[in-house]
Amino acid sequence: MVLTDIYYLVKPLIPWRVRLALRRALATRKWYYARAKWPIDQRAGELPPNWPGWPNAKKFALVLTHDVEGTKGLAHVVELMRLETKFGFRSSFNFVPEGQYRVPEDLRTLLTQSGFEVGVHGLDHDGKLYRSKTKFARDAARIQSYIRLWKASGFRSPLMQHELGWLHKLELKYDASTFDTDPFEPQCDGVGTIFPFWVANPDGMGYVELPYTLVQDFTLFKVLQQSDISIWKRKLDWIASRGGMALLNTHPDYMCFTAQCDSDQVPSALYEEFLTYVRDNYQGSFWSALPKDVAKYYCESLPVEARNTRRRVCMVAYTFYELDNRVRRYAESLVKRGDQVDVIALSGSQFKESVERFKGVTVYRVQHREYNEVSKWTYARRLTSFLVRASVVLSRLHKHHRYDVIHVHNMPDFLVFAAWYPKLRGAKVILDIHDIVPELFRNKFKTQFSLMYERILKGVERVSAAFADHVIVSNDLWRNTLVQRSVDPEKCSVFINHVDLELFYPRHRNRTDNTFIVLFPGSLQWHQGLDIAIEAFAKFHTQVPSAEFHIYSGGGGDMKSSLMKLAETLKVAPSVKFFDGVPLDEMPQVIANADLGVVPKRADSFGNEAYSTKIMEFMSQGLPVVASRTRIDEFYFNDGTVHFFESGNSGDMARAMLDVFNDKLLRANLVARGSEYSERNSWDHKKEEYLRLIDLLSTESFDNVQLPENSALEHAVSEAGGLDSGCEPIGQLPSRTEK
């Protein structure tokens, strides 16, 4: 916004013709690069979640609005009203309360009594409304008073500037300050939809956002120098085919109702041609509505929990998106309520495209990864490389999308600094700590300098947490640790790896052989205790010769080789089968076809406090679980939900596995209690808390801004805007004619 602020600061000093020439030159270049998404962005036509359709099964909605910028536009209001009335249309006129004119009360009365709508268009048409929170808070109080005084339902910011998270201050029914796609606006980040959407407040309130979807008249005719309305027609036809909202914003300031037009005007005949085209080609198939009618219909048709939002969130994660349950759970939950979600992640050999769509999420793959980091320096180098690449891509994307929230997933903690540019531009940043890094480093890399490295990593943790606006931790034990040493408890939440039942709904076994399959999906790191599990399986196998141990893991490197050698040494290699990691969508069926899930973590290592996603995934598919008795698992589970064994004791693990194999009642109880536990603690019961967090971070707080008294404001409004400023009396309109 810095360049925009500078522009509007010096704008009064630049001659109008010079400004127009500069806009035309810039627009020519932008049009070339934006031709794939302007005037039509195909993704903007996707139906939002829970969309109810238009009233009376109309094909699309038509909404006409006008922004009155100056005295010239004010003088043309009645002529424009008469033109629209002739065709049977009604529209909304947005007035600037404290600009270069004052709105006569009798004009507002004439508009509303004739079936038109009056809206508030900023406070002063100077482009400085969002210059600072303090200024906006002062202006918002005055704007709100005009909204009450004029009995207005809606608002539009001057110059199509928008800070949707700030506008809750105005207590609106709707706002109309955005657009689906328009690269020619100074603040050119489109919302990417041709449908209304809900801008939620964390307290459950909010307002409806109505983006304009047809290019504005001044842009079309003066900036792009088009001589006809073919672009309007083309876009309208496309919107109609998608069932969207055709919202047009024109300016009476730039309309000429006489034979002789000024240099900044275009003949009103072009707008009349558009109205004729709509009437002649779509008569009876569209809903002609005022903006307030659309907002009212939207709220009455959709309960709050079903309304589609349009937050813009980008996630950064050093992971393979398809395989990461935690990242996908967040991203797909946001998409399902209508938000735009981009993810910057890793690329593997099976993922070739650098950019692709996955279940509504756009994934940008910026670096290849192999699981062969035997050296801490190799690991650090790759993480640093990803940080740099992610930072570059994120900064570029933010210029186009202006994200509300950047959600960064560790490891490492310092990856949060990839969000430096969006944070500088006002985005809020979440640091999501999947694994607590100093303890994991101590467990993974054992050197004589471990204590020094651990202190450095704790320092990085503190700085990273301070940079973030909110910190999410993956279990309660780690939250206690982080609050004690790094994180303000007021900005720290716990989201364990809840199972997403939309993905992990119960599957039916499609396997018919008699093999007893023991299953472990996950990484092959030392703290996971796979060597203990293989030793236990070897003992279990002597009692159950038909058993197989299936291990699903991407990569593994030297650890995989050592585990395979261990299986050979114990003479169970043919029954211990290693599989590559599978996409998360395929994992529920893999689990459903198994007979026993094992979690063999070491309690004397990082695994003692690392929550295992696998346990609830096993439970969701009716799989009994044998788990190591660790501090974290005893915190969340009891012995009737999982069957515990002594951590690090392969003999006791074999005993627990045999218990489940031999005792049908035990197995049935574990399945029943596990299924109930996974249902009770599923993501369905937690995701609303995450969505509220996103809404909270996207909504600007004005708690520390001092406002003047309302009574004084009302007096100022009555003095400034509630009086006739001496304009000539307004004539009467002809009677309304129906389409």
Side-chain angles (χ1 to χ4, degrees):
M1 294 291 290
V2 176
L3 292 177
T4 303
D5 290 342
I6 294 174
Y7 170 75
Y8 287 118
L9 186 65
V10 302
K11 178 182 175 182
L13 305 177
I14 306 174
W16 181 83
R17 293 184 181 276
V18 174
R19 297 201 310 266
L20 182 59
L22 290 172
R23 284 197 64 181
R24 285 173 173 172
L26 186 60
T28 300
R29 181 173 180 271
K30 284 188 172 183
W31 195 352
Y32 175 79
Y33 287 106
R35 61 191 185 279
K37 292 188 176 182
W38 189 90
I40 294 172
D41 179 357
Q42 293 293 341
R43 291 183 185 175
E46 296 175 357
L47 279 176
N50 306 312
W51 179 244
W54 298 109
N56 302 315
K58 295 296 184 180
K59 189 174 183 180
F60 68 99
L62 177 72
V63 184
L64 303 174
T65 70
H66 312 289
D67 291 348
V68 182
E69 295 183 355
T71 55
K72 186 184 292 187
L74 188 68
H76 290 163
V77 167
V78 172
E79 291 175 289
L80 186 51
M81 291 167 64
R82 287 174 174 155
L83 172 61
E84 291 178 335
T85 301
K86 182 177 71 172
F87 286 87
F89 291 101
R90 294 296 185 269
S91 62
S92 172
F93 285 82
N94 300 306
F95 295 103
V96 182
E98 297 183 6
Q100 60 177 256
Y101 64 88
R102 294 296 178 266
V103 188
E105 184 177 357
D106 62 343
L107 176 58
R108 300 197 310 270
T109 301
L110 178 62
L111 281 164
T112 55
Q113 290 181 349
S114 302
F116 290 78
E117 182 181 346
V118 172
V120 178
H121 190 34
L123 188 65
D124 189 356
H125 206 278
D126 59 2
K128 300 175 183 177
L129 180 62
Y130 302 106
R131 192 171 182 180
S132 71
K133 283 178 60 177
T134 302
K135 181 184 186 309
F136 178 81
R138 287 197 304 265
D139 290 351
R142 297 182 69 83
I143 291 169
Q144 190 176 43
S145 293
Y146 283 108
I147 290 172
R148 291 195 297 267
L149 183 67
W150 293 359
K151 298 179 175 60
S153 298
F155 176 80
R156 174 175 282 146
S157 300
L159 306 157
M160 291 301 171
Q161 294 178 320
H162 43 272
E163 292 286 351
L164 300 186
W166 296 28
L167 293 182
H168 297 286
K169 196 74 179 168
L170 300 182
E171 299 178 9
L172 303 165
K173 300 295 185 184
Y174 74 84
D175 171 66
S177 305
T178 59
F179 38 85
D180 63 330
T181 176
D182 191 342
F184 311 112
E185 285 297 318
Q187 189 177 332
C188 59
D189 51 310
V191 294
T193 182
I194 57 173
F195 294 89
F197 61 90
W198 181 247
V199 183
N201 208 355
D203 62 6
M205 304 298 288
Y207 61 87
V208 181
E209 181 65 23
L210 305 176
Y212 74 75
T213 55
L214 295 168
V215 59
Q216 295 185 76
D217 54 346
F218 185 80
T219 302
L220 184 63
F221 301 121
K222 286 301 176 182
V223 177
L224 300 178
Q225 303 180 76
Q226 299 297 293
S227 59
D228 57 39
I229 66 168
S230 58
I231 289 179
W232 273 351
K233 292 178 180 178
R234 177 187 166 201
K235 183 69 174 288
L236 176 70
D237 292 342
W238 178 79
I239 292 171
S241 70
R242 297 301 191 275
M245 177 180 63
L247 193 155
L248 175 62
N249 184 46
T250 57
H251 301 76
D253 305 72
Y254 308 130
M255 285 190 188
C256 172
F257 292 86
T258 62
Q260 191 68 32
C261 297
D262 294 341
S263 60
D264 63 343
Q265 293 181 318
V266 296
S268 61
L270 290 168
Y271 183 58
E272 185 172 355
E273 182 185 353
F274 173 77
L275 298 180
T276 303
Y277 182 81
V278 177
R279 183 193 62 186
D280 293 349
N281 288 273
Y282 293 102
Q283 187 169 15
S285 63
F286 67 93
W287 179 36
S288 180
L290 296 173
K292 66 179 181 180
D293 298 329
V294 177
K296 181 181 179 182
Y297 169 75
Y298 180 92
C299 291
E300 290 179 349
S301 301
L302 291 168
V304 173
E305 63 274 10
R307 294 173 190 171
N308 58 298
T309 58
R310 201 64 186 165
R311 303 294 190 196
R312 288 173 285 194
V313 179
C314 188
M315 299 193 179
V316 182
Y318 187 72
T319 186
F320 301 113
Y321 175 74
E322 286 81 350
L323 305 180
D324 196 306
N325 187 16
R326 189 175 179 90
V327 179
R328 280 188 56 181
R329 190 171 58 234
Y330 292 127
E332 292 173 18
S333 295
L334 290 167
V335 165
K336 285 171 185 172
R337 72 168 190 171
D339 294 339
Q340 173 192 331
V341 182
D342 299 332
V343 176
I344 299 172
L346 291 168
S347 172
S349 57
Q350 66 269 49
F351 308 129
K352 300 297 185 182
E353 299 296 328
S354 59
V355 181
E356 65 179 282
R357 294 268 284 178
F358 188 89
K359 293 191 173 182
V361 178
T362 304
V363 183
Y364 296 84
R365 309 186 190 282
V366 301
Q367 183 171 304
H368 175 73
R369 181 184 182 185
E370 295 180 4
Y371 288 96
N372 57 359
E373 297 107 344
V374 295
S375 163
K376 59 183 177 295
W377 301 116
T378 301
Y379 192 53
R381 186 181 72 251
R382 292 177 180 176
L383 291 174
T384 303
S385 174
F386 183 79
L387 168 65
V388 173
R389 296 183 188 202
S391 177
V392 171
V393 173
L394 178 56
S395 299
R396 174 172 54 82
L397 290 174
H398 187 75
K399 290 178 182 178
H400 295 284
H401 301 302
R402 211 162 65 93
Y403 298 112
D404 299 300
V405 176
I406 311 298
H407 188 156
V408 182
H409 301 261
N410 92 332
M411 298 188 348
D413 295 332
F414 63 73
L415 190 57
V416 73
F417 294 107
W420 68 271
Y421 178 75
K423 185 173 177 67
L424 186 66
R425 296 288 299 272
K428 296 298 190 291
V429 179
I430 295 173
L431 172 60
D432 195 323
I433 297 181
H434 296 204
D435 290 316
I436 194 164
V437 176
E439 284 78 359
L440 179 60
F441 180 90
R442 183 202 310 151
N443 181 81
K444 185 178 178 70
F445 301 111
K446 303 190 186 323
T447 75
Q448 59 180 321
F449 301 109
S450 291
L451 183 58
M452 179 186 71
Y453 292 140
E454 191 173 337
R455 287 175 178 170
I456 292 173
L457 291 173
K458 286 179 180 177
V460 172
E461 178 184 89
R462 284 192 293 272
V463 174
S464 301
F467 178 82
D469 296 284
H470 197 84
V471 176
I472 291 175
V473 190
S474 60
N475 71 63
D476 290 273
L477 300 185
W478 283 350
R479 182 188 186 276
N480 294 338
T481 299
L482 288 168
V483 165
Q484 289 175 9
R485 74 187 186 200
S486 299
V487 182
D488 180 351
E490 296 299 317
K491 70 171 196 178
C492 189
S493 302
V494 174
F495 288 87
I496 64 172
N497 289 323
H498 302 271
V499 66
D500 186 352
L501 294 182
E502 289 194 18
L503 178 60
F504 281 85
Y505 59 87
R507 307 300 211 276
H508 294 291
R509 178 194 290 261
N510 56 22
R511 181 173 65 85
T512 58
D513 60 79
N514 294 322
T515 306
F516 187 89
I517 294 179
V518 180
L519 179 67
F520 174 89
S523 69
L524 305 184
Q525 298 180 38
W526 181 80
H527 73 264
Q528 296 283 14
L530 265 296
D531 54 333
I532 299 168
I534 290 175
E535 290 174 1
F537 177 77
K539 298 169 184 176
F540 176 78
H541 191 262
T542 61
Q543 302 295 315
V544 189
S546 64
E548 290 183 356
F549 188 12
H550 291 190
I551 300 171
Y552 284 80
S553 180
D558 291 343
M559 179 62 74
K560 181 177 179 179
S561 298
S562 65
L563 292 173
M564 294 176 73
K565 289 179 181 177
L566 176 61
E568 290 177 1
T569 301
L570 297 173
K571 297 182 170 47
V572 289
S575 298
V576 178
K577 301 183 181 296
F578 289 85
F579 298 89
D580 291 335
V582 299
L584 201 59
D585 307 74
E586 300 176 19
M587 184 51 66
Q589 190 61 58
V590 170
I591 296 173
N593 280 331
D595 298 283
L596 176 64
V598 295
V599 182
K601 295 181 300 179
R602 285 182 160 87
D604 59 347
S605 69
F606 176 77
N608 195 39
E609 295 187 356
Y611 183 87
S612 175
T613 312
K614 295 179 284 293
I615 293 180
M616 274 204 284
E617 292 176 358
F618 290 155
M619 291 175 173
S620 73
Q621 302 305 309
L623 203 64
V625 181
V626 165
S628 169
R629 193 178 293 279
T630 59
R631 185 181 175 209
I632 188 68
D633 291 323
E634 284 192 300
F635 183 89
Y636 286 108
F637 305 103
N638 59 48
D639 230 326
T641 311
V642 302
H643 197 44
F644 282 120
F645 66 91
E646 182 186 350
S647 177
N649 187 331
S650 62
D652 198 43
M653 182 177 178
R655 184 270 312 161
M657 294 164 66
L658 284 168
D659 286 346
V660 175
F661 179 80
N662 292 319
D663 191 335
K664 291 183 179 180
L665 181 60
L666 171 63
R667 187 162 64 247
N669 286 336
L670 289 172
V671 169
R673 292 175 183 174
S675 296
E676 188 275 333
Y677 185 94
S678 67
E679 169 66 31
R680 189 174 68 250
N681 293 279
S682 72
W683 178 239
D684 285 346
H685 298 290
K686 190 69 174 179
K687 69 179 178 182
E688 291 304 321
E689 184 178 332
Y690 173 69
L691 298 178
R692 282 196 299 272
L693 174 61
I694 295 296
D695 291 338
L696 177 65
L697 292 174
S698 302
T699 303
E700 195 65 51
S701 172
F702 291 87
D703 292 342
N704 298 323
V705 178
Q706 297 296 319
L707 298 177
E709 294 294 328
N710 284 340
S711 58
L713 285 167
E714 293 290 357
H715 176 72
V717 167
S718 65
E719 290 290 324
L723 301 176
D724 193 326
S725 58
C727 295
E728 293 296 321
I730 305 299
Q732 295 299 311
L733 285 172
S735 61
R736 178 174 180 175
T737 58
E738 298 298 330
K739 293 186 288 299

